[in-house]
Each structure stands twice: as C-alpha cells, then as structure tokens.
Amino acid sequence: MKSEQPDGTPFVQATLKVLGGKWKLLILWHLKDKAKRYSELKRLIPEITEKMMIQQLRELESDGIVSRNTLAEMPPKVEYAFTDYGRTIIPILKPLCDWGQEHLKRMDTDEVD
Amino acid sequence: MKSEQPDGTPFVQATLKVLGGKWKLLILWHLKDKAKRYSELKRLIPEITEKMMIQQLRELESDGIVSRNTLAEMPPKVEYAFTDYGRTIIPILKPLCDWGQEHLKRMDTDEVD
DNA sequence: CGGTATCCACAATGATACTG
DNA sequence: CAGTATCATTGTGGATACCG
C-alpha cells in the first residue's frame, strides 16, 4: 500500500533556500575547517563583491548556520564561524560535492548526446 | 600537511546547477517512483506553467538525469523517467530532504533570535 | 496531447562609491 | 577593517497565445 509520497519536496526546497545562493556553499566550504575573518573570506573569494559577501553571510546567520563574532571595538575584527547547528549541514555537503565531481567527470568523458 | 582543501566548491556548485531550478526537485520527486507522462506531471504540479515544465525537463534531460520517451506517433504520448545515471542522485535527495525537515521544525520550535 | 514562441515582472547578482 | 547605499545588469520564472 505505497501511498505515493508526494511530500518531502517542501523540505528539499527549504534546504535549497538555505544554501541556494551563488556563494553560500563557497563561503561554507571555507568556513567548515575553522572560523575566518571577513577580510580572510574576501581574500579567499576575490570574485565576490562586498555586498554579496555580507548579504550571504547575513542570510546564513539568520538561518542559524553561521555566527558572527566581533573581537574588538576599535580595530574592527569580525569572525564568522559555523554554529553547532550549522555543522549538521556539513555531512550533506560531502555527498553533494562527491556527486558534483562525478557529474563533471561524466560531462567531460561522456559527451551526452 | 593539510592543504586547506579550498576545492570541492565547483563540485557542489555543479550539483546545485543540476537541481537548482525552482521545480527540478519537485519533478524529480514525482518521477523517482515511476515514469510519468507529461500530462500526469502537469496534473501533479498544477502551479507550474508549460514553459517551466518543459524547460526544467529539458535541462534535466541534457544533464542526463531524466529521459524522454515518445510512446506513439499520432496520439502524442511522452513519458519522462529517471535514467540509470539519474538515479545516482536519489540518495542525495534523501539527506537533503531530511535536513530540510529538521530545519523547518527548528525554525518553528526555536525562533532564532 | 505535448509542446513552442513572445513578451514581461521581479528577484538575484554585480559595480561602484561612500562610511564608522 | 568591516561594512552600507545606490544603481545597473542579468537570470529566473510567469502569462498568454499559438502549433504539429
């Protein structure tokens, strides 16, 4: 009596919404090993603009994935890091990355029609 | 000698590109149990327009995820189904769906600041 | 039934300049 | 250093009409 589960989609969409931005994954990838300062992130991802960097960080923040920690007052130092909750998404990143790698190889090897 | 693996991102981006569309996951979700005809898909997803349906299906097709099979000539019947290669993405869908579900619960339970 | 074509709205991203 | 503000551009999705 399989009931044709048509649900599940809103959940996948929710995940997509959280890390669907153009730069979200890239930022998270750099953050997953250890916390990084704003300037470090900008140095690691030179192609991104300040606006997008801040925007994506703010969204990740409000989704509870990363935390923003101000280190000092006058010489502005801000560190971004995964929250404990945010770390629960890291296991997802792996298979995602793995599949994408195989997909790119396939695209190169086997010219699809 | 950990080399700060900054790679992997293009791979995740590649995956995102494949199933990043607004309707891709929804279509795949309905397709993962068994092949469906175009009209069935439209009936299952009434909110989507013909243009988007076709567009997303074509993209999934050219990415090798789904196949398009014409059944007859005069009474047009077209079935869309997962390819064997496409099925390799199903295991990814699960954790994605699972995390999204937890995330939505968290958003409801624990009002994030 | 299973599309294609055209035009349009809006969201996402980007460039650039300025600020505490 | 770590942002904010504004404007321009692009990309994605949608409405509608028409076709084999």
Side-chain angles (χ1 to χ4, degrees):
Chain A
M1 202 66 77
K2 54 194 298 302
S3 45
E4 283 262 0
Q5 73 278 36
D7 36 70
T9 320
F11 306 144
V12 201
Q13 305 276 178
T15 308
L16 211 60
K17 196 162 186 297
V18 171
L19 31 80
K22 187 173 180 181
W23 306 100
K24 299 267 183 76
L25 277 324
L26 189 40
I27 294 174
L28 291 181
W29 197 266
H30 286 295
L31 244 42
K32 77 177 170 41
D33 289 321
K34 61 182 203 303
K36 297 265 161 60
R37 291 180 51 188
Y38 176 83
S39 51
E40 290 184 278
L41 285 174
K42 278 211 51 181
R43 184 175 47 78
L44 289 166
I45 315 171
E47 329 90 277
I48 197 176
T49 60
E50 288 94 338
K51 178 191 169 182
M52 288 315 295
M53 179 71 88
I54 290 298
Q55 182 178 305
Q56 307 276 291
L57 282 170
R58 291 283 186 276
E59 289 179 20
L60 289 169
E61 218 188 323
S62 87
D63 281 324
I65 310 298
V66 304
S67 63
R68 176 182 180 276
N69 305 98
T70 306
L71 297 186
E73 303 307 323
M74 248 324 283
K77 291 191 180 185
V78 178
E79 261 193 8
Y80 291 92
F82 262 94
T83 61
D84 283 342
Y85 173 67
R87 296 200 171 279
T88 65
I89 215 175
I90 296 185
I92 317 269
L93 259 49
K94 296 309 199 114
L96 227 56
C97 170
D98 210 52
W99 190 89
Q101 183 165 20
E102 293 306 312
H103 184 64
L104 287 181
K105 269 198 288 191
R106 179 194 148 91
M107 282 299 165
D108 183 49
T109 308
D110 188 70
E111 292 299 332
V112 193
D113 137 289
Chain B
M1 202 66 79
K2 55 192 299 300
S3 44
E4 284 260 1
Q5 74 276 39
D7 36 71
T9 319
F11 306 144
V12 201
Q13 306 275 178
T15 308
L16 210 61
K17 196 161 186 298
V18 172
L19 31 80
K22 187 174 179 179
W23 306 99
K24 300 265 184 77
L25 278 324
L26 189 41
I27 294 174
L28 292 182
W29 198 267
H30 287 295
L31 244 43
K32 76 178 172 41
D33 291 320
K34 60 181 203 303
K36 296 266 161 57
R37 288 181 53 190
Y38 177 82
S39 51
E40 290 184 279
L41 285 174
K42 277 210 54 180
R43 185 175 46 78
L44 289 166
I45 316 171
E47 327 91 277
I48 197 176
T49 61
E50 288 94 340
K51 176 191 169 181
M52 288 316 294
M53 180 69 88
I54 292 297
Q55 181 178 304
Q56 306 277 290
L57 282 170
R58 291 283 186 277
E59 288 179 20
L60 289 170
E61 218 190 322
S62 87
D63 282 324
I65 310 299
V66 305
S67 62
R68 177 183 181 275
N69 305 97
T70 306
L71 298 185
E73 304 306 323
M74 248 324 281
K77 290 190 182 185
V78 178
E79 262 193 6
Y80 291 92
F82 262 94
T83 62
D84 284 342
Y85 173 66
R87 296 202 170 279
T88 64
I89 214 174
I90 296 185
I92 317 267
L93 260 49
K94 296 308 199 115
L96 226 57
C97 171
D98 210 52
W99 190 89
Q101 184 166 18
E102 294 305 313
H103 184 63
L104 287 180
K105 270 198 289 192
R106 178 194 149 91
M107 282 300 165
D108 184 49
T109 309
D110 187 71
E111 292 299 332
V112 194
D113 138 286

